[in-house]
Amino acid sequence: MNKFFILKITNSQVRSLWKFNFQTMNLTSYILLMFIFLFPFRVFSESYIGVLGGRNGGQHIFETGNKYPNLSGIRGGSRITYDRNYNFGGIEGGYSKGRFNIEGKFATTGWTVNTKGGRDEDFFLGQVSTERNSKLSISPLYLHDTAHTYTGTQNFADGKGSLSIYEQRISFFGKYFFSGESASPWEKKDRFYLTFGFRYNYFKYLLYDVNQFIQRPIYYGPIGVGLSYSYSGVEYGGGGGYIYQFGNFRIEPSFILLIGYNRFRDFHFQRNLNFIGENSGLGFISKIQTSYDVSENTQLRLSYEAHRMFTTGYFKTKGGLSSGDVLSGYSGKYSGGSSTKEAYIEFGAITKLSGLL
């Protein structure tokens, strides 16, 4: 059994948490959800709302392969690397009651934007090749901080091209403080807290203007649009943090362990072939946030957040032009994984609702 499941959380158990069809929601729906969530609580003097923006950086990698020979005698696999360097903006808000605070955020690229580029590799696996599906474990405790699964590979096909992405994500996290008079972000006191909640994100990539290399027969040249990749994932987590207070300035490091589930569709235009699958696994958020009270109603924030999600699972194929691709759709499930290694810098400003009304 994969070490991701040392907590005895199965795919079916995680999948049962997937109750809400977030994919059908658009930007207007998210904003409405945020305001419906917040405005009933505006009677609390510490309710607040704000705007945010930032820069994301990292990679998302989808990989599949077989370390041992399949029925055709081939040991090989496929790796698709998606760049995650882009700007984003959004809104945030929250409210406090006693020592409990809950905060929601919505962030998006707003429209389809270009990133640095993407790559689609098909490779052979040899005796010295390694396969590392398990990258994070709680017991025994270890972390292999990479989104790659296979190393020591030799490409027999390699496509590189331009890449565009549209993304949106939403999160709700609560905090419970062990001390202090209030859970307000303006509270001036050093203190520990527990945090728990969830985050959801959806993104869609398009790899285009692809230059393709094929080893046998030797070919190198443009092929146009390569593939599209759609991903939706939900992550539930819990952890803790600490606030260091220095007058109107504070520093807040925190760590959250995540359990995640995602679904994806990878469509190859040149082969008219879909890879449709689902994965689950573990990840984490490591964050440090600084804030400064401009006034008793307004606060500026700057944060750095490292996000990891390492998942494995299965996919099926559908469609295809060649006989091999068509037949693969009747051959059951194939193992694979999708992992994200990224970080982002975010700047925001919040203000109390009581100061606006």
Side-chain angles (χ1 to χ4, degrees), residues 214-277:
I214 301 176
Q215 187 180 62
R216 297 175 187 174
I218 295 178
Y219 170 82
Y220 179 78
I223 63 170
V225 179
L227 55 87
S228 67
Y229 181 82
S230 301
Y231 172 103
S232 60
V234 65
E235 300 167 4
Y236 299 90
Y242 189 80
I243 295 178
Y244 298 91
Q245 186 72 41
F246 306 94
N248 290 332
F249 178 78
R250 61 188 60 78
I251 300 175
E252 181 182 336
S254 61
F255 181 85
I256 300 173
L257 181 66
L258 300 171
I259 300 169
Y261 168 76
N262 64 72
R263 296 185 290 186
F264 67 89
R265 175 182 176 269
D266 175 30
F267 178 66
H268 291 246
F269 285 86
Q270 306 299 321
R271 299 164 65 184
N272 193 37
L273 184 64
N274 283 288
F275 295 76
I276 303 171

Short mmCIF file of all heavy atoms in Angstrom, two decimals, residues 214-277:
data_model
loop_
_atom_site.label_atom_id
_atom_site.label_comp_id
_atom_site.label_asym_id
_atom_site.label_seq_id
_atom_site.Cartn_x
_atom_site.Cartn_y
_atom_site.Cartn_z
N ILE A 214 10.78 13.45 -32.07
CA ILE A 214 10.50 12.03 -31.99
C ILE A 214 11.75 11.27 -32.42
O ILE A 214 12.35 11.59 -33.45
CB ILE A 214 9.31 11.63 -32.90
CG1 ILE A 214 8.05 12.40 -32.48
CG2 ILE A 214 9.05 10.13 -32.82
CD1 ILE A 214 6.85 12.15 -33.37
N GLN A 215 12.12 10.27 -31.63
CA GLN A 215 13.37 9.55 -31.87
C GLN A 215 13.28 8.58 -33.04
O GLN A 215 14.19 8.49 -33.86
CB GLN A 215 13.79 8.81 -30.60
CG GLN A 215 15.17 8.17 -30.67
CD GLN A 215 15.51 7.45 -29.37
OE1 GLN A 215 14.84 6.50 -28.98
NE2 GLN A 215 16.55 7.92 -28.69
N ARG A 216 12.15 7.83 -33.13
CA ARG A 216 12.01 6.80 -34.16
C ARG A 216 10.63 6.88 -34.80
O ARG A 216 9.65 6.59 -34.13
CB ARG A 216 12.22 5.41 -33.55
CG ARG A 216 13.60 5.18 -32.98
CD ARG A 216 13.68 3.83 -32.30
NE ARG A 216 14.95 3.65 -31.62
CZ ARG A 216 15.23 2.59 -30.85
NH1 ARG A 216 14.31 1.64 -30.68
NH2 ARG A 216 16.40 2.51 -30.26
N PRO A 217 10.54 7.21 -36.09
CA PRO A 217 11.63 7.75 -36.93
C PRO A 217 11.97 9.16 -36.50
O PRO A 217 11.13 9.86 -35.90
CB PRO A 217 11.01 7.74 -38.32
CG PRO A 217 9.54 7.88 -38.08
CD PRO A 217 9.26 7.13 -36.82
N ILE A 218 13.17 9.60 -36.78
CA ILE A 218 13.63 10.90 -36.31
C ILE A 218 12.81 12.02 -36.94
O ILE A 218 12.62 12.08 -38.15
CB ILE A 218 15.12 11.11 -36.63
CG1 ILE A 218 15.97 10.11 -35.85
CG2 ILE A 218 15.55 12.54 -36.31
CD1 ILE A 218 17.45 10.19 -36.14
N TYR A 219 12.25 12.87 -36.07
CA TYR A 219 11.45 13.99 -36.54
C TYR A 219 11.59 15.13 -35.54
O TYR A 219 11.60 14.92 -34.33
CB TYR A 219 9.97 13.62 -36.64
CG TYR A 219 9.06 14.79 -36.90
CD1 TYR A 219 8.88 15.28 -38.19
CD2 TYR A 219 8.42 15.43 -35.84
CE1 TYR A 219 8.06 16.39 -38.42
CE2 TYR A 219 7.60 16.54 -36.06
CZ TYR A 219 7.41 17.01 -37.35
OH TYR A 219 6.62 18.09 -37.58
N TYR A 220 11.70 16.36 -36.07
CA TYR A 220 11.64 17.54 -35.22
C TYR A 220 10.98 18.66 -36.01
O TYR A 220 11.41 18.98 -37.13
CB TYR A 220 13.03 18.00 -34.77
CG TYR A 220 12.98 19.25 -33.91
CD1 TYR A 220 12.61 19.17 -32.57
CD2 TYR A 220 13.25 20.49 -34.46
CE1 TYR A 220 12.53 20.30 -31.78
CE2 TYR A 220 13.18 21.63 -33.68
CZ TYR A 220 12.81 21.53 -32.34
OH TYR A 220 12.72 22.66 -31.56
N GLY A 221 9.91 19.22 -35.43
CA GLY A 221 9.21 20.29 -36.12
C GLY A 221 7.98 20.72 -35.37
O GLY A 221 7.58 20.10 -34.37
N PRO A 222 7.33 21.77 -35.84
CA PRO A 222 6.11 22.27 -35.18
C PRO A 222 4.91 21.37 -35.45
O PRO A 222 4.76 20.86 -36.56
CB PRO A 222 5.92 23.66 -35.81
CG PRO A 222 6.56 23.55 -37.15
CD PRO A 222 7.72 22.61 -36.98
N ILE A 223 4.07 21.20 -34.43
CA ILE A 223 2.86 20.40 -34.59
C ILE A 223 1.60 21.18 -34.20
O ILE A 223 0.50 20.63 -34.23
CB ILE A 223 2.92 19.09 -33.77
CG1 ILE A 223 3.00 19.39 -32.28
CG2 ILE A 223 4.09 18.22 -34.23
CD1 ILE A 223 2.83 18.17 -31.39
N GLY A 224 1.76 22.44 -33.81
CA GLY A 224 0.59 23.25 -33.43
C GLY A 224 0.19 23.04 -31.99
O GLY A 224 1.02 23.00 -31.08
N VAL A 225 -1.13 22.86 -31.75
CA VAL A 225 -1.65 22.67 -30.39
C VAL A 225 -1.32 21.26 -29.91
O VAL A 225 -1.57 20.28 -30.63
CB VAL A 225 -3.17 22.91 -30.35
CG1 VAL A 225 -3.70 22.68 -28.94
CG2 VAL A 225 -3.50 24.32 -30.80
N GLY A 226 -0.76 21.15 -28.71
CA GLY A 226 -0.39 19.85 -28.18
C GLY A 226 -1.47 19.21 -27.33
O GLY A 226 -1.96 18.13 -27.64
N LEU A 227 -1.87 19.91 -26.26
CA LEU A 227 -2.84 19.31 -25.34
C LEU A 227 -3.48 20.38 -24.48
O LEU A 227 -3.02 21.51 -24.40
CB LEU A 227 -2.16 18.26 -24.46
CG LEU A 227 -0.93 18.67 -23.64
CD1 LEU A 227 -1.33 19.24 -22.28
CD2 LEU A 227 0.00 17.50 -23.45
N SER A 228 -4.58 19.99 -23.83
CA SER A 228 -5.21 20.80 -22.79
C SER A 228 -5.32 19.95 -21.53
O SER A 228 -5.41 18.72 -21.61
CB SER A 228 -6.59 21.31 -23.22
OG SER A 228 -7.50 20.22 -23.35
N TYR A 229 -5.32 20.62 -20.39
CA TYR A 229 -5.33 19.91 -19.10
C TYR A 229 -6.20 20.67 -18.12
O TYR A 229 -5.95 21.85 -17.83
CB TYR A 229 -3.90 19.80 -18.57
CG TYR A 229 -3.75 19.08 -17.25
CD1 TYR A 229 -3.71 17.69 -17.20
CD2 TYR A 229 -3.60 19.77 -16.05
CE1 TYR A 229 -3.54 17.02 -15.99
CE2 TYR A 229 -3.42 19.12 -14.84
CZ TYR A 229 -3.40 17.73 -14.82
OH TYR A 229 -3.22 17.08 -13.62
N SER A 230 -7.26 20.02 -17.64
CA SER A 230 -8.17 20.63 -16.66
C SER A 230 -8.04 19.89 -15.34
O SER A 230 -7.98 18.65 -15.30
CB SER A 230 -9.62 20.54 -17.15
OG SER A 230 -9.78 21.20 -18.39
N TYR A 231 -8.04 20.65 -14.25
CA TYR A 231 -7.79 20.10 -12.92
C TYR A 231 -8.71 20.78 -11.91
O TYR A 231 -8.86 22.00 -11.91
CB TYR A 231 -6.33 20.34 -12.54
CG TYR A 231 -5.93 20.00 -11.13
CD1 TYR A 231 -5.23 18.84 -10.85
CD2 TYR A 231 -6.19 20.88 -10.06
CE1 TYR A 231 -4.81 18.53 -9.55
CE2 TYR A 231 -5.78 20.58 -8.77
CZ TYR A 231 -5.10 19.41 -8.52
OH TYR A 231 -4.68 19.10 -7.25
N SER A 232 -9.34 19.99 -11.05
CA SER A 232 -10.09 20.54 -9.92
C SER A 232 -9.75 19.72 -8.69
O SER A 232 -9.79 18.49 -8.72
CB SER A 232 -11.60 20.52 -10.19
OG SER A 232 -12.07 19.20 -10.41
N GLY A 233 -9.40 20.41 -7.62
CA GLY A 233 -8.98 19.70 -6.42
C GLY A 233 -9.42 20.39 -5.15
O GLY A 233 -9.51 21.62 -5.08
N VAL A 234 -9.70 19.60 -4.13
CA VAL A 234 -10.07 20.13 -2.82
C VAL A 234 -9.08 19.57 -1.80
O VAL A 234 -8.64 18.43 -1.89
CB VAL A 234 -11.53 19.76 -2.45
CG1 VAL A 234 -11.71 18.26 -2.29
CG2 VAL A 234 -11.97 20.50 -1.19
N GLU A 235 -8.69 20.43 -0.85
CA GLU A 235 -7.73 20.05 0.17
C GLU A 235 -8.27 20.47 1.54
O GLU A 235 -8.67 21.62 1.74
CB GLU A 235 -6.39 20.75 -0.08
CG GLU A 235 -5.79 20.39 -1.43
CD GLU A 235 -4.65 21.30 -1.84
OE1 GLU A 235 -4.25 22.18 -1.04
OE2 GLU A 235 -4.16 21.14 -2.97
N TYR A 236 -8.29 19.52 2.47
CA TYR A 236 -8.72 19.78 3.85
C TYR A 236 -7.50 19.70 4.75
O TYR A 236 -6.63 18.85 4.56
CB TYR A 236 -9.75 18.74 4.30
CG TYR A 236 -11.00 18.72 3.47
CD1 TYR A 236 -11.09 17.91 2.33
CD2 TYR A 236 -12.10 19.51 3.80
CE1 TYR A 236 -12.24 17.88 1.56
CE2 TYR A 236 -13.25 19.50 3.03
CZ TYR A 236 -13.31 18.68 1.91
OH TYR A 236 -14.44 18.66 1.15
N GLY A 237 -7.44 20.59 5.74
CA GLY A 237 -6.24 20.57 6.57
C GLY A 237 -6.41 21.19 7.93
O GLY A 237 -7.40 21.85 8.25
N GLY A 238 -5.40 20.96 8.76
CA GLY A 238 -5.35 21.52 10.09
C GLY A 238 -3.92 21.70 10.54
O GLY A 238 -3.01 21.00 10.07
N GLY A 239 -3.69 22.63 11.44
CA GLY A 239 -2.34 22.88 11.93
C GLY A 239 -2.36 23.96 12.99
O GLY A 239 -3.32 24.08 13.75
N GLY A 240 -1.32 24.74 13.03
CA GLY A 240 -1.22 25.78 14.04
C GLY A 240 -0.25 26.87 13.65
O GLY A 240 0.44 26.79 12.63
N GLY A 241 -0.22 27.92 14.47
CA GLY A 241 0.68 29.04 14.22
C GLY A 241 0.88 29.86 15.47
O GLY A 241 0.33 29.57 16.54
N TYR A 242 1.69 30.90 15.33
CA TYR A 242 1.99 31.78 16.46
C TYR A 242 2.10 33.21 15.95
O TYR A 242 2.60 33.46 14.85
CB TYR A 242 3.31 31.37 17.13
CG TYR A 242 3.57 32.09 18.43
CD1 TYR A 242 2.97 31.69 19.61
CD2 TYR A 242 4.44 33.19 18.48
CE1 TYR A 242 3.20 32.34 20.81
CE2 TYR A 242 4.68 33.86 19.67
CZ TYR A 242 4.05 33.43 20.83
OH TYR A 242 4.28 34.09 22.02
N ILE A 243 1.63 34.16 16.74
CA ILE A 243 1.70 35.57 16.39
C ILE A 243 2.69 36.27 17.32
O ILE A 243 2.57 36.20 18.54
CB ILE A 243 0.32 36.25 16.50
CG1 ILE A 243 -0.64 35.67 15.46
CG2 ILE A 243 0.46 37.77 16.30
CD1 ILE A 243 -2.04 36.24 15.52
N TYR A 244 3.70 36.92 16.72
CA TYR A 244 4.65 37.75 17.44
C TYR A 244 4.24 39.21 17.25
O TYR A 244 4.19 39.69 16.10
CB TYR A 244 6.08 37.55 16.93
CG TYR A 244 6.61 36.15 17.10
CD1 TYR A 244 6.46 35.20 16.09
CD2 TYR A 244 7.30 35.78 18.26
CE1 TYR A 244 6.96 33.92 16.23
CE2 TYR A 244 7.80 34.50 18.42
CZ TYR A 244 7.62 33.57 17.40
OH TYR A 244 8.13 32.30 17.55
N GLN A 245 3.96 39.91 18.33
CA GLN A 245 3.43 41.27 18.25
C GLN A 245 4.51 42.29 18.57
O GLN A 245 5.24 42.16 19.56
CB GLN A 245 2.26 41.43 19.22
CG GLN A 245 1.56 42.75 19.13
CD GLN A 245 0.71 42.88 17.87
OE1 GLN A 245 0.06 41.91 17.48
NE2 GLN A 245 0.72 44.04 17.25
N PHE A 246 4.66 43.32 17.71
CA PHE A 246 5.61 44.41 17.93
C PHE A 246 4.88 45.74 17.68
O PHE A 246 4.99 46.33 16.60
CB PHE A 246 6.81 44.30 16.99
CG PHE A 246 7.51 42.96 17.05
CD1 PHE A 246 7.17 41.95 16.15
CD2 PHE A 246 8.47 42.71 18.01
CE1 PHE A 246 7.82 40.73 16.19
CE2 PHE A 246 9.12 41.48 18.06
CZ PHE A 246 8.79 40.48 17.15
N GLY A 247 4.09 46.17 18.64
CA GLY A 247 3.31 47.38 18.45
C GLY A 247 2.24 47.18 17.40
O GLY A 247 1.39 46.30 17.53
N ASN A 248 2.28 48.01 16.35
CA ASN A 248 1.32 47.87 15.26
C ASN A 248 1.75 46.85 14.21
O ASN A 248 1.04 46.61 13.24
CB ASN A 248 1.10 49.22 14.56
CG ASN A 248 0.35 50.20 15.43
OD1 ASN A 248 -0.45 49.80 16.28
ND2 ASN A 248 0.59 51.49 15.23
N PHE A 249 2.92 46.25 14.41
CA PHE A 249 3.48 45.30 13.45
C PHE A 249 3.49 43.90 14.07
O PHE A 249 3.73 43.74 15.26
CB PHE A 249 4.90 45.71 13.07
CG PHE A 249 5.58 44.78 12.12
CD1 PHE A 249 5.29 44.80 10.76
CD2 PHE A 249 6.52 43.87 12.58
CE1 PHE A 249 5.93 43.95 9.88
CE2 PHE A 249 7.17 43.01 11.71
CZ PHE A 249 6.87 43.05 10.36
N ARG A 250 3.20 42.88 13.25
CA ARG A 250 3.21 41.51 13.74
C ARG A 250 3.76 40.55 12.69
O ARG A 250 3.66 40.81 11.49
CB ARG A 250 1.81 41.08 14.20
CG ARG A 250 0.77 41.11 13.12
CD ARG A 250 -0.65 40.85 13.65
NE ARG A 250 -1.08 41.82 14.64
CZ ARG A 250 -1.52 43.04 14.34
NH1 ARG A 250 -1.55 43.45 13.07
NH2 ARG A 250 -1.91 43.86 15.27
N ILE A 251 4.33 39.45 13.17
CA ILE A 251 4.84 38.37 12.33
C ILE A 251 4.11 37.09 12.73
O ILE A 251 4.01 36.78 13.92
CB ILE A 251 6.36 38.19 12.46
CG1 ILE A 251 7.08 39.49 12.06
CG2 ILE A 251 6.84 37.03 11.61
CD1 ILE A 251 8.58 39.43 12.29
N GLU A 252 3.65 36.33 11.73
CA GLU A 252 2.79 35.17 12.00
C GLU A 252 3.22 33.96 11.17
O GLU A 252 2.77 33.78 10.04
CB GLU A 252 1.34 35.52 11.69
CG GLU A 252 0.34 34.42 11.96
CD GLU A 252 -1.07 34.82 11.58
OE1 GLU A 252 -1.36 36.05 11.54
OE2 GLU A 252 -1.88 33.93 11.31
N PRO A 253 4.11 33.09 11.69
CA PRO A 253 4.41 31.84 11.00
C PRO A 253 3.34 30.78 11.31
O PRO A 253 2.78 30.74 12.40
CB PRO A 253 5.77 31.43 11.59
CG PRO A 253 5.77 32.02 12.96
CD PRO A 253 4.94 33.29 12.88
N SER A 254 3.05 29.90 10.32
CA SER A 254 2.06 28.84 10.54
C SER A 254 2.37 27.66 9.64
O SER A 254 3.09 27.77 8.63
CB SER A 254 0.64 29.35 10.25
OG SER A 254 0.52 29.78 8.90
N PHE A 255 1.79 26.52 10.00
CA PHE A 255 1.97 25.29 9.21
C PHE A 255 0.66 24.51 9.24
O PHE A 255 0.04 24.35 10.30
CB PHE A 255 3.09 24.43 9.79
CG PHE A 255 3.33 23.17 9.01
CD1 PHE A 255 4.15 23.16 7.90
CD2 PHE A 255 2.72 21.97 9.39
CE1 PHE A 255 4.36 22.00 7.17
CE2 PHE A 255 2.92 20.81 8.68
CZ PHE A 255 3.75 20.81 7.56
N ILE A 256 0.23 24.02 8.06
CA ILE A 256 -1.01 23.25 7.94
C ILE A 256 -0.74 21.98 7.15
O ILE A 256 -0.18 22.03 6.04
CB ILE A 256 -2.11 24.07 7.24
CG1 ILE A 256 -2.43 25.34 8.02
CG2 ILE A 256 -3.37 23.24 7.04
CD1 ILE A 256 -3.37 26.29 7.29
N LEU A 257 -1.11 20.83 7.70
CA LEU A 257 -1.03 19.56 6.99
C LEU A 257 -2.32 19.35 6.20
O LEU A 257 -3.41 19.59 6.72
CB LEU A 257 -0.83 18.41 7.98
CG LEU A 257 -0.71 17.01 7.37
CD1 LEU A 257 0.56 16.88 6.54
CD2 LEU A 257 -0.74 15.95 8.48
N LEU A 258 -2.20 18.91 4.94
CA LEU A 258 -3.34 18.79 4.05
C LEU A 258 -3.60 17.37 3.60
O LEU A 258 -2.66 16.58 3.42
CB LEU A 258 -3.12 19.65 2.79
CG LEU A 258 -2.93 21.15 2.98
CD1 LEU A 258 -2.51 21.78 1.66
CD2 LEU A 258 -4.22 21.80 3.49
N ILE A 259 -4.87 17.03 3.43
CA ILE A 259 -5.32 15.82 2.76
C ILE A 259 -6.07 16.27 1.52
O ILE A 259 -6.97 17.10 1.61
CB ILE A 259 -6.25 14.98 3.65
CG1 ILE A 259 -5.54 14.55 4.92
CG2 ILE A 259 -6.77 13.76 2.90
CD1 ILE A 259 -6.48 13.96 5.96
N GLY A 260 -5.69 15.76 0.35
CA GLY A 260 -6.26 16.28 -0.89
C GLY A 260 -6.83 15.21 -1.80
O GLY A 260 -6.44 14.04 -1.75
N TYR A 261 -7.77 15.64 -2.62
CA TYR A 261 -8.37 14.81 -3.66
C TYR A 261 -8.57 15.67 -4.90
O TYR A 261 -8.98 16.83 -4.80
CB TYR A 261 -9.72 14.25 -3.19
CG TYR A 261 -10.53 13.61 -4.30
CD1 TYR A 261 -10.20 12.35 -4.79
CD2 TYR A 261 -11.61 14.29 -4.87
CE1 TYR A 261 -10.93 11.78 -5.81
CE2 TYR A 261 -12.35 13.71 -5.89
CZ TYR A 261 -12.01 12.45 -6.36
OH TYR A 261 -12.72 11.90 -7.39
N ASN A 262 -8.25 15.13 -6.09
CA ASN A 262 -8.43 15.90 -7.30
C ASN A 262 -8.91 15.02 -8.45
O ASN A 262 -8.74 13.80 -8.44
CB ASN A 262 -7.13 16.62 -7.69
CG ASN A 262 -6.00 15.67 -8.03
OD1 ASN A 262 -6.01 15.01 -9.06
ND2 ASN A 262 -5.01 15.60 -7.14
N ARG A 263 -9.52 15.68 -9.42
CA ARG A 263 -9.92 15.05 -10.67
C ARG A 263 -9.31 15.84 -11.82
O ARG A 263 -9.12 17.06 -11.72
CB ARG A 263 -11.44 15.03 -10.79
CG ARG A 263 -12.12 14.18 -9.73
CD ARG A 263 -13.62 14.08 -9.95
NE ARG A 263 -14.28 15.35 -9.69
CZ ARG A 263 -15.60 15.49 -9.70
NH1 ARG A 263 -16.39 14.45 -9.98
NH2 ARG A 263 -16.14 16.66 -9.43
N PHE A 264 -8.99 15.16 -12.93
CA PHE A 264 -8.34 15.84 -14.04
C PHE A 264 -8.76 15.24 -15.38
O PHE A 264 -9.23 14.10 -15.45
CB PHE A 264 -6.80 15.78 -13.90
CG PHE A 264 -6.24 14.38 -14.05
CD1 PHE A 264 -5.88 13.88 -15.29
CD2 PHE A 264 -6.08 13.57 -12.94
CE1 PHE A 264 -5.36 12.60 -15.44
CE2 PHE A 264 -5.57 12.29 -13.06
CZ PHE A 264 -5.21 11.80 -14.31
N ARG A 265 -8.58 16.02 -16.42
CA ARG A 265 -8.80 15.59 -17.80
C ARG A 265 -7.65 16.12 -18.64
O ARG A 265 -7.45 17.33 -18.75
CB ARG A 265 -10.13 16.10 -18.34
CG ARG A 265 -10.37 15.79 -19.83
CD ARG A 265 -11.70 16.37 -20.28
NE ARG A 265 -11.94 16.19 -21.70
CZ ARG A 265 -11.58 17.05 -22.65
NH1 ARG A 265 -10.96 18.17 -22.31
NH2 ARG A 265 -11.84 16.81 -23.92
N ASP A 266 -6.89 15.21 -19.22
CA ASP A 266 -5.74 15.54 -20.05
C ASP A 266 -6.09 15.12 -21.49
O ASP A 266 -6.23 13.93 -21.78
CB ASP A 266 -4.51 14.79 -19.53
CG ASP A 266 -3.30 14.98 -20.41
OD1 ASP A 266 -3.19 16.05 -21.04
OD2 ASP A 266 -2.46 14.06 -20.48
N PHE A 267 -6.24 16.10 -22.40
CA PHE A 267 -6.65 15.81 -23.78
C PHE A 267 -5.52 16.11 -24.74
O PHE A 267 -5.00 17.24 -24.79
CB PHE A 267 -7.87 16.64 -24.16
CG PHE A 267 -8.32 16.43 -25.58
CD1 PHE A 267 -8.82 15.20 -25.99
CD2 PHE A 267 -8.23 17.45 -26.51
CE1 PHE A 267 -9.23 14.99 -27.30
CE2 PHE A 267 -8.63 17.26 -27.82
CZ PHE A 267 -9.13 16.02 -28.22
N HIS A 268 -5.11 15.09 -25.53
CA HIS A 268 -4.05 15.23 -26.53
C HIS A 268 -4.69 15.43 -27.90
O HIS A 268 -5.31 14.50 -28.45
CB HIS A 268 -3.15 13.99 -26.51
CG HIS A 268 -2.33 13.88 -25.27
ND1 HIS A 268 -0.96 13.98 -25.27
CD2 HIS A 268 -2.69 13.70 -23.97
CE1 HIS A 268 -0.49 13.86 -24.05
NE2 HIS A 268 -1.53 13.68 -23.23
N PHE A 269 -4.52 16.62 -28.44
CA PHE A 269 -5.18 16.98 -29.70
C PHE A 269 -4.71 16.11 -30.86
O PHE A 269 -5.51 15.67 -31.69
CB PHE A 269 -4.93 18.45 -30.02
CG PHE A 269 -5.72 19.40 -29.18
CD1 PHE A 269 -5.25 19.82 -27.93
CD2 PHE A 269 -6.94 19.90 -29.61
CE1 PHE A 269 -5.97 20.70 -27.15
CE2 PHE A 269 -7.68 20.78 -28.83
CZ PHE A 269 -7.19 21.18 -27.59
N GLN A 270 -3.40 15.86 -30.94
CA GLN A 270 -2.87 15.13 -32.09
C GLN A 270 -3.32 13.68 -32.12
O GLN A 270 -3.36 13.06 -33.18
CB GLN A 270 -1.33 15.19 -32.09
CG GLN A 270 -0.76 16.60 -32.02
CD GLN A 270 -1.18 17.45 -33.21
OE1 GLN A 270 -1.23 16.97 -34.34
NE2 GLN A 270 -1.48 18.72 -32.96
N ARG A 271 -3.67 13.15 -30.97
CA ARG A 271 -4.11 11.74 -30.88
C ARG A 271 -5.60 11.62 -30.64
O ARG A 271 -6.12 10.51 -30.61
CB ARG A 271 -3.35 11.04 -29.75
CG ARG A 271 -1.84 11.01 -29.94
CD ARG A 271 -1.12 10.68 -28.65
NE ARG A 271 -1.39 9.33 -28.18
CZ ARG A 271 -0.93 8.84 -27.04
NH1 ARG A 271 -0.19 9.61 -26.25
NH2 ARG A 271 -1.20 7.60 -26.68
N ASN A 272 -6.29 12.76 -30.43
CA ASN A 272 -7.71 12.77 -30.09
C ASN A 272 -7.99 11.82 -28.92
O ASN A 272 -8.97 11.07 -28.92
CB ASN A 272 -8.56 12.37 -31.31
CG ASN A 272 -10.03 12.65 -31.10
OD1 ASN A 272 -10.40 13.66 -30.49
ND2 ASN A 272 -10.89 11.77 -31.58
N LEU A 273 -7.13 11.90 -27.90
CA LEU A 273 -7.18 10.95 -26.79
C LEU A 273 -7.29 11.68 -25.47
O LEU A 273 -6.54 12.63 -25.19
CB LEU A 273 -5.91 10.09 -26.80
CG LEU A 273 -5.83 8.98 -25.75
CD1 LEU A 273 -6.92 7.93 -26.00
CD2 LEU A 273 -4.44 8.32 -25.78
N ASN A 274 -8.23 11.24 -24.63
CA ASN A 274 -8.43 11.78 -23.29
C ASN A 274 -7.81 10.86 -22.23
O ASN A 274 -7.93 9.63 -22.33
CB ASN A 274 -9.92 11.91 -22.97
CG ASN A 274 -10.56 13.10 -23.65
OD1 ASN A 274 -10.34 14.24 -23.28
ND2 ASN A 274 -11.36 12.82 -24.67
N PHE A 275 -7.18 11.45 -21.24
CA PHE A 275 -6.79 10.76 -20.02
C PHE A 275 -7.65 11.37 -18.91
O PHE A 275 -7.49 12.55 -18.58
CB PHE A 275 -5.31 10.97 -19.71
CG PHE A 275 -4.38 10.38 -20.72
CD1 PHE A 275 -4.17 11.00 -21.95
CD2 PHE A 275 -3.72 9.19 -20.46
CE1 PHE A 275 -3.31 10.46 -22.88
CE2 PHE A 275 -2.85 8.63 -21.39
CZ PHE A 275 -2.64 9.28 -22.61
N ILE A 276 -8.54 10.59 -18.33
CA ILE A 276 -9.47 11.08 -17.32
C ILE A 276 -9.24 10.30 -16.03
O ILE A 276 -9.34 9.07 -16.01
CB ILE A 276 -10.93 10.91 -17.78
CG1 ILE A 276 -11.14 11.64 -19.11
CG2 ILE A 276 -11.89 11.43 -16.72
CD1 ILE A 276 -12.47 11.36 -19.76
N GLY A 277 -8.93 11.02 -14.95
CA GLY A 277 -8.59 10.30 -13.73
C GLY A 277 -8.82 11.08 -12.45
O GLY A 277 -9.35 12.19 -12.45
#
